[in-house]
Short mmCIF file of all heavy atoms in Angstrom, two decimals:
data_model
loop_
_atom_site.label_atom_id
_atom_site.label_comp_id
_atom_site.label_asym_id
_atom_site.label_seq_id
_atom_site.Cartn_x
_atom_site.Cartn_y
_atom_site.Cartn_z
N ASN N 88 -13.34 47.23 24.45
CA ASN N 88 -13.83 46.47 23.27
C ASN N 88 -14.55 47.48 22.32
O ASN N 88 -14.46 47.32 21.12
CB ASN N 88 -14.69 45.32 23.65
CG ASN N 88 -13.83 44.20 24.24
OD1 ASN N 88 -12.69 44.09 23.88
ND2 ASN N 88 -14.41 43.36 25.08
N TRP N 89 -15.36 48.42 22.83
CA TRP N 89 -15.99 49.39 21.94
C TRP N 89 -14.95 50.14 21.11
O TRP N 89 -15.08 50.31 19.92
CB TRP N 89 -16.71 50.45 22.84
CG TRP N 89 -17.96 49.96 23.41
CD1 TRP N 89 -18.57 48.67 23.45
CD2 TRP N 89 -18.82 50.74 24.32
NE1 TRP N 89 -19.67 48.66 24.24
CE2 TRP N 89 -19.90 49.89 24.82
CE3 TRP N 89 -18.79 52.03 24.70
CZ2 TRP N 89 -20.81 50.35 25.67
CZ3 TRP N 89 -19.84 52.48 25.52
CH2 TRP N 89 -20.79 51.66 25.97
N LEU N 90 -13.98 50.58 21.83
CA LEU N 90 -12.92 51.39 21.14
C LEU N 90 -12.14 50.52 20.11
O LEU N 90 -11.98 50.99 18.95
CB LEU N 90 -11.92 52.03 22.17
CG LEU N 90 -10.81 52.83 21.66
CD1 LEU N 90 -11.33 54.03 20.88
CD2 LEU N 90 -9.90 53.24 22.73
N ARG N 91 -11.74 49.37 20.49
CA ARG N 91 -11.10 48.46 19.59
C ARG N 91 -11.86 48.17 18.34
O ARG N 91 -11.41 48.11 17.24
CB ARG N 91 -10.60 47.20 20.30
CG ARG N 91 -9.41 47.42 21.18
CD ARG N 91 -8.98 46.09 21.77
NE ARG N 91 -7.78 46.34 22.59
CZ ARG N 91 -7.40 45.47 23.55
NH1 ARG N 91 -8.06 44.40 23.76
NH2 ARG N 91 -6.26 45.71 24.15
N LEU N 92 -13.19 47.84 18.59
CA LEU N 92 -13.98 47.49 17.49
C LEU N 92 -14.26 48.68 16.52
O LEU N 92 -14.22 48.55 15.34
CB LEU N 92 -15.36 46.95 17.96
CG LEU N 92 -15.36 45.61 18.66
CD1 LEU N 92 -16.61 45.27 19.31
CD2 LEU N 92 -15.05 44.55 17.60
N PHE N 93 -14.43 49.84 17.10
CA PHE N 93 -14.63 51.07 16.26
C PHE N 93 -13.38 51.38 15.45
O PHE N 93 -13.49 51.58 14.25
CB PHE N 93 -15.04 52.33 17.13
CG PHE N 93 -15.08 53.54 16.30
CD1 PHE N 93 -16.10 53.81 15.41
CD2 PHE N 93 -14.00 54.40 16.36
CE1 PHE N 93 -16.05 54.95 14.60
CE2 PHE N 93 -13.99 55.54 15.58
CZ PHE N 93 -15.00 55.85 14.72
N VAL N 94 -12.28 51.38 16.07
CA VAL N 94 -11.05 51.72 15.42
C VAL N 94 -10.75 50.73 14.39
O VAL N 94 -10.37 51.05 13.20
CB VAL N 94 -9.90 51.87 16.35
CG1 VAL N 94 -8.52 51.97 15.74
CG2 VAL N 94 -10.09 53.02 17.32
N GLU N 95 -10.89 49.40 14.65
CA GLU N 95 -10.68 48.39 13.66
C GLU N 95 -11.58 48.52 12.51
O GLU N 95 -11.20 48.50 11.33
CB GLU N 95 -10.89 46.98 14.33
CG GLU N 95 -10.53 45.82 13.39
CD GLU N 95 -10.65 44.49 14.07
OE1 GLU N 95 -11.80 43.98 14.16
OE2 GLU N 95 -9.61 43.96 14.51
N TRP N 96 -12.89 48.76 12.75
CA TRP N 96 -13.80 48.99 11.68
C TRP N 96 -13.53 50.15 10.81
O TRP N 96 -13.47 50.11 9.60
CB TRP N 96 -15.29 49.19 12.22
CG TRP N 96 -16.22 49.71 11.24
CD1 TRP N 96 -16.89 49.05 10.29
CD2 TRP N 96 -16.57 51.05 11.09
NE1 TRP N 96 -17.65 49.87 9.57
CE2 TRP N 96 -17.52 51.13 9.97
CE3 TRP N 96 -16.22 52.30 11.74
CZ2 TRP N 96 -18.06 52.39 9.61
CZ3 TRP N 96 -16.84 53.45 11.29
CH2 TRP N 96 -17.70 53.56 10.20
N PHE N 97 -13.13 51.26 11.44
CA PHE N 97 -12.82 52.48 10.72
C PHE N 97 -11.60 52.28 9.85
O PHE N 97 -11.58 52.62 8.67
CB PHE N 97 -12.63 53.66 11.65
CG PHE N 97 -12.44 54.98 10.87
CD1 PHE N 97 -13.54 55.73 10.54
CD2 PHE N 97 -11.15 55.39 10.58
CE1 PHE N 97 -13.32 56.84 9.78
CE2 PHE N 97 -10.99 56.59 9.79
CZ PHE N 97 -12.02 57.36 9.41
N VAL N 98 -10.53 51.82 10.46
CA VAL N 98 -9.24 51.54 9.69
C VAL N 98 -9.49 50.67 8.50
O VAL N 98 -8.99 50.88 7.38
CB VAL N 98 -8.17 51.03 10.65
CG1 VAL N 98 -6.97 50.54 9.87
CG2 VAL N 98 -7.81 52.10 11.66
N VAL N 99 -10.13 49.55 8.74
CA VAL N 99 -10.24 48.55 7.68
C VAL N 99 -11.25 49.02 6.54
O VAL N 99 -10.98 48.80 5.41
CB VAL N 99 -10.72 47.18 8.24
CG1 VAL N 99 -11.13 46.21 7.15
CG2 VAL N 99 -9.67 46.57 9.17
N THR N 100 -12.32 49.69 6.93
CA THR N 100 -13.31 50.03 5.97
C THR N 100 -13.08 51.50 5.32
O THR N 100 -13.45 51.65 4.25
CB THR N 100 -14.66 50.01 6.51
OG1 THR N 100 -14.75 50.91 7.56
CG2 THR N 100 -15.06 48.61 6.96
N HIS N 101 -12.45 52.40 6.06
CA HIS N 101 -12.37 53.72 5.61
C HIS N 101 -10.97 54.33 5.61
O HIS N 101 -10.57 55.13 4.75
CB HIS N 101 -13.29 54.68 6.47
CG HIS N 101 -14.72 54.39 6.25
ND1 HIS N 101 -15.34 53.49 7.11
CD2 HIS N 101 -15.64 54.88 5.43
CE1 HIS N 101 -16.63 53.41 6.73
NE2 HIS N 101 -16.83 54.21 5.73
N GLY N 102 -10.13 54.05 6.67
CA GLY N 102 -8.92 54.69 6.86
C GLY N 102 -7.80 54.21 5.98
O GLY N 102 -6.95 55.01 5.53
N ALA N 103 -7.76 52.91 5.66
CA ALA N 103 -6.63 52.43 4.85
C ALA N 103 -7.09 52.17 3.35
O ALA N 103 -8.21 51.71 3.17
CB ALA N 103 -6.15 51.11 5.45
N ARG N 104 -6.16 52.43 2.49
CA ARG N 104 -6.42 52.12 1.08
C ARG N 104 -6.31 50.71 0.84
O ARG N 104 -6.99 50.10 -0.06
CB ARG N 104 -5.58 52.95 0.15
CG ARG N 104 -5.81 54.39 0.17
CD ARG N 104 -4.96 55.09 -0.88
NE ARG N 104 -3.55 54.83 -0.60
CZ ARG N 104 -2.59 55.09 -1.48
NH1 ARG N 104 -2.80 55.58 -2.64
NH2 ARG N 104 -1.33 54.92 -1.08
N HIS N 105 -5.39 49.93 1.54
CA HIS N 105 -5.20 48.55 1.40
C HIS N 105 -4.86 47.84 2.72
O HIS N 105 -4.25 48.52 3.59
CB HIS N 105 -4.02 48.34 0.38
CG HIS N 105 -3.98 46.87 -0.12
ND1 HIS N 105 -4.82 46.40 -1.12
CD2 HIS N 105 -3.25 45.85 0.24
CE1 HIS N 105 -4.58 45.16 -1.37
NE2 HIS N 105 -3.62 44.77 -0.51
N VAL N 106 -5.34 46.66 2.82
CA VAL N 106 -5.14 45.89 4.04
C VAL N 106 -4.31 44.65 3.73
O VAL N 106 -4.59 43.95 2.77
CB VAL N 106 -6.59 45.41 4.61
CG1 VAL N 106 -6.37 44.55 5.85
CG2 VAL N 106 -7.39 46.64 4.90
N ILE N 107 -3.36 44.39 4.58
CA ILE N 107 -2.50 43.24 4.52
C ILE N 107 -2.97 42.33 5.68
O ILE N 107 -2.85 42.68 6.82
CB ILE N 107 -1.09 43.51 4.55
CG1 ILE N 107 -0.60 44.35 3.39
CG2 ILE N 107 -0.24 42.18 4.62
CD1 ILE N 107 0.77 44.85 3.47
N ALA N 108 -3.30 41.02 5.37
CA ALA N 108 -3.60 40.08 6.41
C ALA N 108 -2.44 39.10 6.47
O ALA N 108 -1.86 38.72 5.43
CB ALA N 108 -4.94 39.37 6.07
N VAL N 109 -2.10 38.65 7.71
CA VAL N 109 -0.98 37.75 7.78
C VAL N 109 -1.26 36.32 7.55
O VAL N 109 -0.35 35.46 7.53
CB VAL N 109 -0.30 37.89 9.18
CG1 VAL N 109 0.32 39.34 9.36
CG2 VAL N 109 -1.11 37.50 10.26
N SER N 110 -2.62 36.01 7.35
CA SER N 110 -2.97 34.65 7.02
C SER N 110 -4.31 34.77 6.26
O SER N 110 -4.99 35.63 6.26
CB SER N 110 -3.15 33.81 8.24
OG SER N 110 -4.26 34.26 9.01
N SER N 111 -4.57 33.54 5.63
CA SER N 111 -5.81 33.51 4.82
C SER N 111 -7.05 33.57 5.81
O SER N 111 -8.11 34.00 5.46
CB SER N 111 -5.92 32.28 3.90
OG SER N 111 -5.69 31.14 4.69
N GLY N 112 -6.78 32.99 7.02
CA GLY N 112 -7.84 32.96 8.08
C GLY N 112 -8.24 34.42 8.45
O GLY N 112 -9.42 34.70 8.59
N VAL N 113 -7.19 35.22 8.68
CA VAL N 113 -7.50 36.59 9.07
C VAL N 113 -8.17 37.34 7.93
O VAL N 113 -9.11 38.14 8.17
CB VAL N 113 -6.10 37.36 9.47
CG1 VAL N 113 -6.37 38.83 9.72
CG2 VAL N 113 -5.55 36.75 10.73
N LYS N 114 -7.72 37.04 6.72
CA LYS N 114 -8.37 37.64 5.53
C LYS N 114 -9.85 37.31 5.51
O LYS N 114 -10.74 38.19 5.35
CB LYS N 114 -7.68 37.21 4.25
CG LYS N 114 -8.32 37.77 2.96
CD LYS N 114 -7.69 37.25 1.72
CE LYS N 114 -8.38 37.80 0.49
NZ LYS N 114 -7.68 37.33 -0.78
N LYS N 115 -10.20 36.09 5.74
CA LYS N 115 -11.61 35.60 5.73
C LYS N 115 -12.40 36.34 6.77
O LYS N 115 -13.55 36.75 6.52
CB LYS N 115 -11.70 34.14 5.84
CG LYS N 115 -11.27 33.35 4.58
CD LYS N 115 -11.19 31.85 4.92
CE LYS N 115 -10.63 31.16 3.71
NZ LYS N 115 -10.47 29.64 3.97
N GLU N 116 -11.81 36.43 7.97
CA GLU N 116 -12.55 37.09 9.03
C GLU N 116 -12.78 38.61 8.83
O GLU N 116 -13.90 39.02 9.01
CB GLU N 116 -11.68 36.94 10.35
CG GLU N 116 -11.63 35.51 10.92
CD GLU N 116 -10.72 35.42 12.13
OE1 GLU N 116 -9.95 36.35 12.43
OE2 GLU N 116 -10.79 34.40 12.76
N LEU N 117 -11.83 39.25 8.19
CA LEU N 117 -11.94 40.71 7.92
C LEU N 117 -13.01 40.90 6.84
O LEU N 117 -13.84 41.79 6.92
CB LEU N 117 -10.66 41.29 7.46
CG LEU N 117 -9.57 41.42 8.59
CD1 LEU N 117 -8.21 41.72 8.04
CD2 LEU N 117 -10.00 42.42 9.63
N ILE N 118 -13.02 40.03 5.80
CA ILE N 118 -14.01 40.14 4.77
C ILE N 118 -15.43 39.84 5.32
O ILE N 118 -16.39 40.52 5.07
CB ILE N 118 -13.67 39.20 3.62
CG1 ILE N 118 -12.46 39.72 2.89
CG2 ILE N 118 -14.85 39.01 2.65
CD1 ILE N 118 -11.94 38.70 1.87
N ARG N 119 -15.52 38.82 6.16
CA ARG N 119 -16.83 38.48 6.77
C ARG N 119 -17.35 39.54 7.72
O ARG N 119 -18.47 39.91 7.70
CB ARG N 119 -16.70 37.05 7.50
CG ARG N 119 -18.04 36.57 8.15
CD ARG N 119 -17.91 35.30 8.82
NE ARG N 119 -17.11 35.54 10.02
CZ ARG N 119 -15.99 34.85 10.43
NH1 ARG N 119 -15.53 33.89 9.58
NH2 ARG N 119 -15.27 35.11 11.50
N GLU N 120 -16.48 40.03 8.60
CA GLU N 120 -16.88 41.01 9.53
C GLU N 120 -17.12 42.42 9.04
O GLU N 120 -17.98 43.13 9.54
CB GLU N 120 -15.83 41.11 10.71
CG GLU N 120 -15.66 39.81 11.57
CD GLU N 120 -16.98 39.38 12.16
OE1 GLU N 120 -17.72 40.18 12.66
OE2 GLU N 120 -17.21 38.13 12.27
#
Side-chain angles (χ1 to χ4, degrees):
N88 286 333
W89 290 359
L90 181 60
R91 284 183 177 158
L92 290 170
F93 171 76
V94 171
E95 184 176 83
W96 166 81
F97 185 88
V98 169
V99 170
T100 60
H101 296 88
R104 290 186 301 164
H105 195 77
V106 178
I107 297 171
V109 298
S110 70
S111 58
V113 172
K114 178 181 179 177
K115 288 176 189 173
E116 289 174 349
L117 290 168
I118 290 171
R119 183 182 67 236
E120 295 300 324

